[in-house]
PDB file of all heavy atoms in Angstrom:
ATOM      1  N   GLY A 133      25.654  36.602 -35.866  1.00  0.00           N
ATOM      2  CA  GLY A 133      24.726  35.553 -36.097  1.00  0.00           C
ATOM      3  C   GLY A 133      25.275  34.139 -36.087  1.00  0.00           C
ATOM      4  O   GLY A 133      26.441  33.970 -36.411  1.00  0.00           O
ATOM      5  N   ILE A 134      24.445  33.197 -35.738  1.00  0.00           N
ATOM      6  CA  ILE A 134      24.751  31.805 -35.791  1.00  0.00           C
ATOM      7  C   ILE A 134      23.852  31.156 -36.800  1.00  0.00           C
ATOM      8  O   ILE A 134      22.687  30.906 -36.560  1.00  0.00           O
ATOM      9  CB  ILE A 134      24.691  31.103 -34.413  1.00  0.00           C
ATOM     10  CG1 ILE A 134      25.528  31.835 -33.373  1.00  0.00           C
ATOM     11  CG2 ILE A 134      25.221  29.657 -34.444  1.00  0.00           C
ATOM     12  CD1 ILE A 134      24.660  32.622 -32.407  1.00  0.00           C
ATOM     13  N   ASP A 135      24.380  30.794 -37.974  1.00  0.00           N
ATOM     14  CA  ASP A 135      23.585  30.418 -39.110  1.00  0.00           C
ATOM     15  C   ASP A 135      23.990  29.110 -39.732  1.00  0.00           C
ATOM     16  O   ASP A 135      25.096  28.657 -39.401  1.00  0.00           O
ATOM     17  CB  ASP A 135      23.579  31.561 -40.175  1.00  0.00           C
ATOM     18  CG  ASP A 135      22.363  31.517 -41.085  1.00  0.00           C
ATOM     19  OD1 ASP A 135      21.426  30.699 -40.803  1.00  0.00           O
ATOM     20  OD2 ASP A 135      22.349  32.380 -41.980  1.00  0.00           O
ATOM     21  N   ASN A 136      23.143  28.552 -40.579  1.00  0.00           N
ATOM     22  CA  ASN A 136      23.481  27.279 -41.300  1.00  0.00           C
ATOM     23  C   ASN A 136      23.988  26.183 -40.407  1.00  0.00           C
ATOM     24  O   ASN A 136      24.991  25.583 -40.637  1.00  0.00           O
ATOM     25  CB  ASN A 136      24.397  27.549 -42.424  1.00  0.00           C
ATOM     26  CG  ASN A 136      23.924  28.549 -43.541  1.00  0.00           C
ATOM     27  OD1 ASN A 136      22.754  28.768 -43.581  1.00  0.00           O
ATOM     28  ND2 ASN A 136      24.811  29.175 -44.212  1.00  0.00           N
ATOM     29  N   ILE A 137      23.298  26.005 -39.322  1.00  0.00           N
ATOM     30  CA  ILE A 137      23.753  25.010 -38.302  1.00  0.00           C
ATOM     31  C   ILE A 137      23.421  23.671 -38.772  1.00  0.00           C
ATOM     32  O   ILE A 137      22.290  23.300 -39.196  1.00  0.00           O
ATOM     33  CB  ILE A 137      22.980  25.297 -36.979  1.00  0.00           C
ATOM     34  CG1 ILE A 137      23.326  26.673 -36.408  1.00  0.00           C
ATOM     35  CG2 ILE A 137      23.381  24.202 -35.973  1.00  0.00           C
ATOM     36  CD1 ILE A 137      22.455  27.122 -35.296  1.00  0.00           C
ATOM     37  N   GLN A 138      24.501  22.777 -38.855  1.00  0.00           N
ATOM     38  CA  GLN A 138      24.352  21.371 -39.263  1.00  0.00           C
ATOM     39  C   GLN A 138      25.035  20.498 -38.190  1.00  0.00           C
ATOM     40  O   GLN A 138      26.172  20.640 -37.954  1.00  0.00           O
ATOM     41  CB  GLN A 138      24.989  21.126 -40.555  1.00  0.00           C
ATOM     42  CG  GLN A 138      24.435  21.987 -41.706  1.00  0.00           C
ATOM     43  CD  GLN A 138      25.223  21.703 -42.985  1.00  0.00           C
ATOM     44  OE1 GLN A 138      25.147  20.596 -43.561  1.00  0.00           O
ATOM     45  NE2 GLN A 138      25.890  22.714 -43.501  1.00  0.00           N
ATOM     46  N   ILE A 139      24.230  19.528 -37.649  1.00  0.00           N
ATOM     47  CA  ILE A 139      24.738  18.611 -36.662  1.00  0.00           C
ATOM     48  C   ILE A 139      24.546  17.169 -37.167  1.00  0.00           C
ATOM     49  O   ILE A 139      23.383  16.802 -37.503  1.00  0.00           O
ATOM     50  CB  ILE A 139      24.118  18.716 -35.299  1.00  0.00           C
ATOM     51  CG1 ILE A 139      23.912  20.189 -34.869  1.00  0.00           C
ATOM     52  CG2 ILE A 139      24.913  17.937 -34.233  1.00  0.00           C
ATOM     53  CD1 ILE A 139      25.176  20.976 -34.587  1.00  0.00           C
ATOM     54  N   THR A 140      25.613  16.428 -37.380  1.00  0.00           N
ATOM     55  CA  THR A 140      25.542  15.099 -37.897  1.00  0.00           C
ATOM     56  C   THR A 140      26.413  14.182 -37.050  1.00  0.00           C
ATOM     57  O   THR A 140      27.143  14.569 -36.288  1.00  0.00           O
ATOM     58  CB  THR A 140      26.024  15.029 -39.352  1.00  0.00           C
ATOM     59  OG1 THR A 140      27.406  15.508 -39.460  1.00  0.00           O
ATOM     60  CG2 THR A 140      25.187  15.937 -40.293  1.00  0.00           C
ATOM     61  N   GLY A 141      26.241  12.808 -37.297  1.00  0.00           N
ATOM     62  CA  GLY A 141      27.024  11.847 -36.611  1.00  0.00           C
ATOM     63  C   GLY A 141      27.152  10.610 -37.502  1.00  0.00           C
ATOM     64  O   GLY A 141      26.396  10.425 -38.457  1.00  0.00           O
ATOM     65  N   GLN A 142      28.062   9.749 -37.111  1.00  0.00           N
ATOM     66  CA  GLN A 142      28.305   8.429 -37.773  1.00  0.00           C
ATOM     67  C   GLN A 142      27.748   7.330 -36.893  1.00  0.00           C
ATOM     68  O   GLN A 142      27.924   7.269 -35.709  1.00  0.00           O
ATOM     69  CB  GLN A 142      29.770   8.209 -38.084  1.00  0.00           C
ATOM     70  CG  GLN A 142      30.341   9.244 -39.052  1.00  0.00           C
ATOM     71  CD  GLN A 142      31.823   9.076 -39.214  1.00  0.00           C
ATOM     72  OE1 GLN A 142      32.490   8.367 -38.463  1.00  0.00           O
ATOM     73  NE2 GLN A 142      32.377   9.608 -40.294  1.00  0.00           N
ATOM     74  N   VAL A 143      27.052   6.397 -37.574  1.00  0.00           N
ATOM     75  CA  VAL A 143      26.479   5.286 -36.795  1.00  0.00           C
ATOM     76  C   VAL A 143      27.613   4.383 -36.240  1.00  0.00           C
ATOM     77  O   VAL A 143      28.626   4.072 -36.948  1.00  0.00           O
ATOM     78  CB  VAL A 143      25.579   4.505 -37.714  1.00  0.00           C
ATOM     79  CG1 VAL A 143      25.116   3.175 -36.975  1.00  0.00           C
ATOM     80  CG2 VAL A 143      24.403   5.255 -38.209  1.00  0.00           C
ATOM     81  N   ILE A 144      27.430   4.055 -35.006  1.00  0.00           N
ATOM     82  CA  ILE A 144      28.381   3.169 -34.326  1.00  0.00           C
ATOM     83  C   ILE A 144      28.102   1.730 -34.778  1.00  0.00           C
ATOM     84  O   ILE A 144      26.979   1.225 -34.474  1.00  0.00           O
ATOM     85  CB  ILE A 144      28.335   3.232 -32.813  1.00  0.00           C
ATOM     86  CG1 ILE A 144      28.665   4.671 -32.332  1.00  0.00           C
ATOM     87  CG2 ILE A 144      29.280   2.279 -32.173  1.00  0.00           C
ATOM     88  CD1 ILE A 144      28.428   4.923 -30.873  1.00  0.00           C
ATOM     89  N   THR A 145      28.982   1.117 -35.525  1.00  0.00           N
ATOM     90  CA  THR A 145      28.779  -0.206 -36.030  1.00  0.00           C
ATOM     91  C   THR A 145      29.368  -1.259 -35.143  1.00  0.00           C
ATOM     92  O   THR A 145      30.231  -0.960 -34.289  1.00  0.00           O
ATOM     93  CB  THR A 145      29.314  -0.361 -37.466  1.00  0.00           C
ATOM     94  OG1 THR A 145      30.665  -0.098 -37.481  1.00  0.00           O
ATOM     95  CG2 THR A 145      28.546   0.600 -38.427  1.00  0.00           C
ATOM     96  N   ALA A 146      29.067  -2.545 -35.333  1.00  0.00           N
ATOM     97  CA  ALA A 146      29.602  -3.688 -34.582  1.00  0.00           C
ATOM     98  C   ALA A 146      31.085  -3.606 -34.672  1.00  0.00           C
ATOM     99  O   ALA A 146      31.675  -3.523 -35.741  1.00  0.00           O
ATOM    100  CB  ALA A 146      29.047  -5.004 -35.087  1.00  0.00           C
ATOM    101  N   GLY A 147      31.743  -3.837 -33.533  1.00  0.00           N
ATOM    102  CA  GLY A 147      33.174  -3.799 -33.488  1.00  0.00           C
ATOM    103  C   GLY A 147      33.785  -2.468 -33.128  1.00  0.00           C
ATOM    104  O   GLY A 147      35.002  -2.350 -32.868  1.00  0.00           O
ATOM    105  N   GLU A 148      32.937  -1.359 -33.177  1.00  0.00           N
ATOM    106  CA  GLU A 148      33.478  -0.034 -32.830  1.00  0.00           C
ATOM    107  C   GLU A 148      33.157   0.369 -31.435  1.00  0.00           C
ATOM    108  O   GLU A 148      33.500   1.433 -30.996  1.00  0.00           O
ATOM    109  CB  GLU A 148      32.893   1.007 -33.788  1.00  0.00           C
ATOM    110  CG  GLU A 148      33.376   0.808 -35.193  1.00  0.00           C
ATOM    111  CD  GLU A 148      32.829   1.920 -36.136  1.00  0.00           C
ATOM    112  OE1 GLU A 148      31.652   2.216 -36.024  1.00  0.00           O
ATOM    113  OE2 GLU A 148      33.589   2.379 -36.968  1.00  0.00           O
ATOM    114  N   GLY A 149      32.414  -0.524 -30.631  1.00  0.00           N
ATOM    115  CA  GLY A 149      32.106  -0.222 -29.332  1.00  0.00           C
ATOM    116  C   GLY A 149      33.134  -0.764 -28.344  1.00  0.00           C
ATOM    117  O   GLY A 149      34.362  -0.703 -28.632  1.00  0.00           O
ATOM    118  N   THR A 150      32.648  -1.244 -27.235  1.00  0.00           N
ATOM    119  CA  THR A 150      33.578  -1.783 -26.150  1.00  0.00           C
ATOM    120  C   THR A 150      34.232  -3.033 -26.687  1.00  0.00           C
ATOM    121  O   THR A 150      33.621  -3.995 -27.219  1.00  0.00           O
ATOM    122  CB  THR A 150      32.734  -2.114 -24.923  1.00  0.00           C
ATOM    123  OG1 THR A 150      32.077  -0.928 -24.459  1.00  0.00           O
ATOM    124  CG2 THR A 150      33.654  -2.577 -23.830  1.00  0.00           C
ATOM    125  N   PRO A 151      35.553  -3.147 -26.660  1.00  0.00           N
ATOM    126  CA  PRO A 151      36.308  -4.370 -27.006  1.00  0.00           C
ATOM    127  C   PRO A 151      35.767  -5.515 -26.293  1.00  0.00           C
ATOM    128  O   PRO A 151      35.446  -5.481 -25.143  1.00  0.00           O
ATOM    129  CB  PRO A 151      37.764  -4.007 -26.653  1.00  0.00           C
ATOM    130  CG  PRO A 151      37.786  -2.557 -26.521  1.00  0.00           C
ATOM    131  CD  PRO A 151      36.514  -2.118 -26.037  1.00  0.00           C
ATOM    132  N   GLN A 152      35.682  -6.659 -27.058  1.00  0.00           N
ATOM    133  CA  GLN A 152      35.186  -7.958 -26.556  1.00  0.00           C
ATOM    134  C   GLN A 152      36.355  -8.745 -25.997  1.00  0.00           C
ATOM    135  O   GLN A 152      37.509  -8.673 -26.545  1.00  0.00           O
ATOM    136  CB  GLN A 152      34.445  -8.711 -27.614  1.00  0.00           C
ATOM    137  CG  GLN A 152      33.274  -7.934 -28.201  1.00  0.00           C
ATOM    138  CD  GLN A 152      32.254  -7.672 -27.147  1.00  0.00           C
ATOM    139  OE1 GLN A 152      31.799  -8.584 -26.433  1.00  0.00           O
ATOM    140  NE2 GLN A 152      31.775  -6.471 -27.070  1.00  0.00           N
ATOM    141  N   SER A 153      36.106  -9.595 -24.928  1.00  0.00           N
ATOM    142  CA  SER A 153      37.231 -10.435 -24.452  1.00  0.00           C
ATOM    143  C   SER A 153      36.709 -11.848 -24.444  1.00  0.00           C
ATOM    144  O   SER A 153      35.468 -12.121 -24.508  1.00  0.00           O
ATOM    145  CB  SER A 153      37.524 -10.044 -23.041  1.00  0.00           C
ATOM    146  OG  SER A 153      36.382 -10.129 -22.141  1.00  0.00           O
ATOM    147  N   GLY A 154      37.667 -12.846 -24.434  1.00  0.00           N
ATOM    148  CA  GLY A 154      37.274 -14.225 -24.407  1.00  0.00           C
ATOM    149  C   GLY A 154      38.527 -15.101 -24.601  1.00  0.00           C
ATOM    150  O   GLY A 154      39.649 -14.630 -24.699  1.00  0.00           O
ATOM    151  N   LEU A 155      38.327 -16.369 -24.648  1.00  0.00           N
ATOM    152  CA  LEU A 155      39.360 -17.358 -24.839  1.00  0.00           C
ATOM    153  C   LEU A 155      39.155 -18.165 -26.133  1.00  0.00           C
ATOM    154  O   LEU A 155      38.007 -18.488 -26.445  1.00  0.00           O
ATOM    155  CB  LEU A 155      39.424 -18.362 -23.670  1.00  0.00           C
ATOM    156  CG  LEU A 155      39.807 -17.798 -22.303  1.00  0.00           C
ATOM    157  CD1 LEU A 155      39.693 -18.904 -21.234  1.00  0.00           C
ATOM    158  CD2 LEU A 155      41.245 -17.248 -22.366  1.00  0.00           C
ATOM    159  N   ALA A 156      40.185 -18.415 -26.894  1.00  0.00           N
ATOM    160  CA  ALA A 156      40.120 -19.164 -28.076  1.00  0.00           C
ATOM    161  C   ALA A 156      40.890 -20.488 -27.914  1.00  0.00           C
ATOM    162  O   ALA A 156      41.845 -20.591 -27.113  1.00  0.00           O
ATOM    163  CB  ALA A 156      40.707 -18.435 -29.275  1.00  0.00           C
ATOM    164  N   MET A 157      40.427 -21.478 -28.566  1.00  0.00           N
ATOM    165  CA  MET A 157      41.067 -22.811 -28.534  1.00  0.00           C
ATOM    166  C   MET A 157      42.505 -22.766 -29.003  1.00  0.00           C
ATOM    167  O   MET A 157      42.767 -22.137 -30.039  1.00  0.00           O
ATOM    168  CB  MET A 157      40.316 -23.909 -29.217  1.00  0.00           C
ATOM    169  CG  MET A 157      40.892 -25.353 -29.066  1.00  0.00           C
ATOM    170  SD  MET A 157      39.858 -26.495 -29.877  1.00  0.00           S
ATOM    171  CE  MET A 157      38.424 -26.492 -28.826  1.00  0.00           C
ATOM    172  N   ALA A 158      43.446 -23.338 -28.260  1.00  0.00           N
ATOM    173  CA  ALA A 158      44.838 -23.363 -28.725  1.00  0.00           C
ATOM    174  C   ALA A 158      45.008 -24.262 -29.923  1.00  0.00           C
ATOM    175  O   ALA A 158      44.333 -25.258 -30.072  1.00  0.00           O
ATOM    176  CB  ALA A 158      45.733 -23.887 -27.511  1.00  0.00           C
ATOM    177  N   VAL A 159      45.988 -23.890 -30.761  1.00  0.00           N
ATOM    178  CA  VAL A 159      46.230 -24.663 -31.934  1.00  0.00           C
ATOM    179  C   VAL A 159      47.685 -24.957 -31.963  1.00  0.00           C
ATOM    180  O   VAL A 159      48.536 -24.064 -31.798  1.00  0.00           O
ATOM    181  CB  VAL A 159      45.822 -23.908 -33.278  1.00  0.00           C
ATOM    182  CG1 VAL A 159      46.171 -24.700 -34.474  1.00  0.00           C
ATOM    183  CG2 VAL A 159      44.320 -23.603 -33.230  1.00  0.00           C
ATOM    184  N   ALA A 160      48.287 -26.207 -32.101  1.00  0.00           N
ATOM    185  CA  ALA A 160      47.450 -27.390 -32.277  1.00  0.00           C
ATOM    186  C   ALA A 160      46.845 -27.876 -30.963  1.00  0.00           C
ATOM    187  O   ALA A 160      47.293 -27.425 -29.910  1.00  0.00           O
ATOM    188  CB  ALA A 160      48.283 -28.509 -32.862  1.00  0.00           C
ATOM    189  N   ASN A 161      45.935 -28.781 -31.042  1.00  0.00           N
ATOM    190  CA  ASN A 161      45.325 -29.299 -29.813  1.00  0.00           C
ATOM    191  C   ASN A 161      45.145 -30.810 -30.005  1.00  0.00           C
ATOM    192  O   ASN A 161      44.636 -31.300 -30.986  1.00  0.00           O
ATOM    193  CB  ASN A 161      43.923 -28.670 -29.695  1.00  0.00           C
ATOM    194  CG  ASN A 161      43.267 -29.093 -28.366  1.00  0.00           C
ATOM    195  OD1 ASN A 161      43.940 -29.311 -27.378  1.00  0.00           O
ATOM    196  ND2 ASN A 161      41.909 -29.223 -28.427  1.00  0.00           N
ATOM    197  N   PRO A 162      45.732 -31.638 -29.029  1.00  0.00           N
ATOM    198  CA  PRO A 162      46.398 -31.204 -27.800  1.00  0.00           C
ATOM    199  C   PRO A 162      47.775 -30.623 -28.025  1.00  0.00           C
ATOM    200  O   PRO A 162      48.303 -30.733 -29.152  1.00  0.00           O
ATOM    201  CB  PRO A 162      46.472 -32.533 -26.999  1.00  0.00           C
ATOM    202  CG  PRO A 162      46.568 -33.563 -28.028  1.00  0.00           C
ATOM    203  CD  PRO A 162      45.725 -33.117 -29.196  1.00  0.00           C
ATOM    204  N   VAL A 163      48.419 -30.098 -26.986  1.00  0.00           N
ATOM    205  CA  VAL A 163      49.758 -29.417 -27.145  1.00  0.00           C
ATOM    206  C   VAL A 163      50.654 -29.995 -26.108  1.00  0.00           C
ATOM    207  O   VAL A 163      50.219 -30.642 -25.107  1.00  0.00           O
ATOM    208  CB  VAL A 163      49.591 -27.928 -26.946  1.00  0.00           C
ATOM    209  CG1 VAL A 163      48.773 -27.288 -27.952  1.00  0.00           C
ATOM    210  CG2 VAL A 163      49.081 -27.527 -25.526  1.00  0.00           C
ATOM    211  N   ARG A 164      51.953 -29.864 -26.317  1.00  0.00           N
ATOM    212  CA  ARG A 164      52.964 -30.315 -25.363  1.00  0.00           C
ATOM    213  C   ARG A 164      53.691 -29.038 -24.834  1.00  0.00           C
ATOM    214  O   ARG A 164      53.850 -28.128 -25.549  1.00  0.00           O
ATOM    215  CB  ARG A 164      53.989 -31.237 -26.012  1.00  0.00           C
ATOM    216  CG  ARG A 164      53.402 -32.637 -26.412  1.00  0.00           C
ATOM    217  CD  ARG A 164      54.449 -33.455 -27.060  1.00  0.00           C
ATOM    218  NE  ARG A 164      53.895 -34.779 -27.440  1.00  0.00           N
ATOM    219  CZ  ARG A 164      53.854 -35.809 -26.650  1.00  0.00           C
ATOM    220  NH1 ARG A 164      54.204 -35.696 -25.411  1.00  0.00           N
ATOM    221  NH2 ARG A 164      53.334 -36.956 -27.148  1.00  0.00           N
ATOM    222  N   GLY A 165      54.131 -29.069 -23.580  1.00  0.00           N
ATOM    223  CA  GLY A 165      54.838 -27.944 -23.020  1.00  0.00           C
ATOM    224  C   GLY A 165      53.927 -26.789 -22.776  1.00  0.00           C
ATOM    225  O   GLY A 165      52.788 -26.879 -22.480  1.00  0.00           O
TER     226      GLY A 165
END
């Protein structure tokens, strides 16, 4: 027999999906070299 079947999952929250890409401003600004 296949009994007491329970199927559950965890909600995918922000930040757990596809990694985000982008550019951030350099610090300090302006820079030398």
Side-chain angles (χ1 to χ4, degrees):
I134 305 105
D135 204 2
N136 298 341
I137 299 169
Q138 301 177 65
I139 317 292
T140 58
Q142 296 176 342
V143 175
I144 300 174
T145 58
E148 293 182 318
T150 304
Q152 301 298 309
S153 62
L155 294 175
M157 183 176 291
V159 178
N161 185 33
V163 299
R164 293 178 182 274

